[in-house]
Amino acid sequence: MNDLAGKHIVLGLTGGIACYKSAELCRALIKEGATVQVVMTEGAEHFITPVTMQALSNRTVYHSQWDAREANNMAHINLSREADAILIAPASADFMAKLLHGRADDLLSLMCLARPIESVPLLIAPAMNREMWAHPATQRNVVQLQSDGAQVLGVGVGEQACGEVGDGRMLEPAELLQELVAFFQPKVLKGQRVLVSAGPTYEAIDPVRGVTNLSSGKMGFAVARAAREAGAEVTLVAGPVALATPRGVQRIDVRSALQMQHAVQAEAGEASVFIATAAVADWRPASMAEQKIKKDGSGQPPTLSFVENPDILASLAQSTRARSGALLCVGFAAESEALQANAQAKRLRKGVPLLVGNIGPATFGQDDNALLLVDEQGTRELARSDKLSLARQLVCEIARHLKTDFFQKT
Ligand code: CTP
């Protein structure tokens, strides 16, 4: 992916042990297509050398407001005017306090103050000891910085360099990258609450065996990420998969179809959109054996009987909220043949305004997919691409459906 292609990022480093992560972050930004200009405070240079950051960014590093390399000697103006965003990572407690007061006694703070506030966003990745992070002064500063227009990206939890454990670590480079990529996505679902079901379900036969399917959950996780990037609050009800939760998404893990139905129903009351990407098992064993079923020596397999699972999507689509237009239900269809005919029939059968068809065996477990959007107007193909790109296109389609008269009553 090249999600930051054409973006010019000023990466500001202030004094903190997390500076070692900024080297990796710089690389990650460049790999994603961005150009990166590093600006360091004196404190940052105690933790990592400008040589390292220059080599990684392929640009000389700036640190002094008296830098004579700039013809007009105004590095703070020149660097901030060409940036698409300024990302301070790590941002120390001291630097945040400084920003808050509009102080400008080094190049980085001067540049933040001098940036055109409407066109050059400022993103802040705090990094500090847990007591410093929890201190009322820091928390007050976070609130004030946000109301001054900065976006504070939050902190990680865990073991800290000082040996203490708690909140205050800088987010990992991969998390910061996800935040920055999300920042640039259009906010077409702002104000929406999106509920996504994803992955397979697992229907237990006995304590060691069960029935499941080949769904990897990747499409559903990509949809959850894309919805969050588009500004929605997202809850993801996930069947048994080992995928990382997208940043900022609330995840509820379930195993069986009945558990998934329970979780979805509990969350649906708050949602304005339900996207059912899960490959729910159609049947479950009529009863689960309490102990492992053993071979009895007869050579005969055990007789298993199955009952049908409830249709989570169809029953939600029938609910009063969906019927009144307060909940937009979007289905998926995993087919193995005759995609268009099957998907159109399934849309009507499930009673959903929008259904997304795909060929299950061609996509389960893969990183890419091709989709067929089916609605009242007809069908539209989304050409084969990686799942995140497709998810972003689907999110735009959902935003379009939300704008129609019927779905404005939330
Ligand atoms: N679905 C659901 N609950 C079920 C079965 C399916 O919510 N018990 C949802 C899926 O999440 C998907 C849509 O219904 O959004 C279609 O799922 P799919 O497996 O393609 O179809 P089925 O309803 O199982 O129909 P069939 O097996 O006949 O293809």
Side-chain angles (χ1 to χ4, degrees):
M1 302 273 299
N2 247 349
D3 282 332
L4 295 178
K7 300 287 184 216
H8 182 65
I9 309 298
V10 170
L11 177 61
L13 277 66
T14 71
I17 185 63
C19 278
Y20 80 92
K21 294 188 196 172
S22 308
E24 203 182 323
L25 174 61
C26 179
R27 253 185 105 90
L29 295 174
I30 288 171
K31 262 191 169 168
E32 206 61 40
T35 48
V36 178
Q37 174 62 60
V38 176
V39 178
M40 296 172 72
T41 64
E42 197 202 326
E45 290 181 9
H46 285 282
F47 290 92
I48 189 168
T49 69
V51 176
T52 302
M53 299 309 293
Q54 177 175 348
L56 291 172
S57 64
N58 203 22
R59 282 170 177 252
T60 56
V61 170
Y62 282 79
H63 44 93
S64 165
Q65 70 267 49
W66 311 116
D67 197 318
R69 276 176 294 178
E70 295 292 305
N72 59 0
N73 218 306
M74 293 186 199
H76 62 296
I77 301 291
N78 305 344
L79 298 182
S80 64
R81 296 306 181 269
E82 62 190 22
D84 289 297
I86 299 173
L87 170 61
I88 311 289
S92 66
D94 179 56
F95 192 77
M96 286 166 61
K98 197 166 172 178
L99 278 183
L100 174 87
H101 288 288
R103 288 186 49 207
D105 60 357
D106 64 61
L107 176 61
L108 190 56
S109 56
L110 178 60
M111 190 189 64
C112 290
L113 191 67
R115 84 189 202 281
I117 206 160
E118 296 300 330
S119 57
V120 182
L122 175 62
L123 292 93
I124 294 174
M128 63 198 74
N129 165 269
R130 67 191 173 107
E131 298 291 359
M132 293 166 74
W133 175 249
H135 196 285
T138 305
Q139 290 305 310
R140 218 169 34 234
N141 293 350
V142 168
V143 173
Q144 187 58 47
L145 282 168
Q146 274 166 332
S147 73
D148 287 350
Q151 181 159 336
V152 181
L153 298 174
V155 292
V157 190
E159 206 169 302
Q160 304 199 307
C162 53
E164 296 180 5
V165 178
D167 287 352
R169 286 166 58 103
M170 186 170 85
L171 295 176
E172 296 304 316
E175 295 174 309
L176 289 173
L177 178 67
Q178 244 190 66
E179 288 286 3
L180 196 64
V181 167
F183 182 81
F184 287 115
Q185 292 300 314
K187 302 292 172 244
V188 292
L189 291 185
K190 196 166 172 46
Q192 301 294 333
R193 296 173 83 114
V194 174
L195 177 61
V196 182
S197 71
T201 63
Y202 177 91
E203 313 298 329
I205 294 171
D206 67 18
V208 297
R209 309 182 180 93
V211 180
T212 185
N213 61 61
L214 289 174
S215 165
S216 64
K218 286 179 182 172
M219 191 67 222
F221 276 59
V223 167
R225 175 174 168 178
R228 193 260 173 172
E229 286 178 345
E233 269 183 55
V234 182
T235 301
L236 173 63
V237 177
V241 293
L243 298 174
T245 311
R247 284 270 322 142
V249 167
Q250 190 212 340
R251 173 172 178 173
I252 301 170
D253 282 319
V254 297
R255 207 155 85 126
S256 66
L258 290 180
Q259 288 170 353
M260 183 173 278
Q261 182 191 37
H262 190 256
V264 164
Q265 280 179 347
E267 296 296 320
E270 298 289 311
S272 52
V273 181
F274 173 50
I275 311 172
T277 72
V280 184
D282 289 319
W283 302 282
R284 66 179 183 278
S287 62
M288 177 190 152
E290 277 196 14
Q291 303 301 333
K292 183 183 173 197
I293 302 171
K294 307 289 267 182
K295 291 191 285 291
D296 63 7
S298 69
Q300 291 300 311
T303 309
L304 297 175
S305 59
F306 288 86
V307 291
E308 196 170 316
N309 271 324
D311 192 316
I312 304 169
L313 174 64
S315 61
L316 255 193
Q318 282 308 308
S319 70
T320 325
R321 294 189 69 244
R323 281 162 167 268
S324 69
L327 177 68
L328 171 61
C329 290
V330 180
F332 265 66
E335 305 298 339
S336 61
E337 53 158 1
L339 181 58
Q340 179 158 339
N342 280 329
Q344 281 175 321
K346 201 169 274 182
R347 184 182 87 83
L348 297 175
R349 201 168 69 241
K350 303 262 175 181
V352 294
L354 177 61
L355 189 115
V356 185
N358 61 171
I359 296 289
T363 185
F364 279 4
Q366 306 292 315
D367 290 324
D368 62 359
N369 198 358
L371 301 179
L372 183 74
L373 304 182
V374 184
D375 65 11
E376 209 179 31
Q377 260 76 54
T379 60
R380 184 158 75 88
E381 281 179 31
L382 300 185
R384 182 158 289 278
S385 184
D386 65 277
K387 288 183 175 175
L388 184 56
S389 300
L390 289 169
R392 287 178 182 147
Q393 293 175 64
L394 174 61
V395 155
C396 289
E397 183 67 17
I398 290 171
R400 207 178 56 72
H401 272 262
L402 283 167
K403 276 201 185 130
T404 62
D405 289 340
F406 186 63
F407 286 105
Q408 276 180 344
K409 301 176 197 160
T410 50

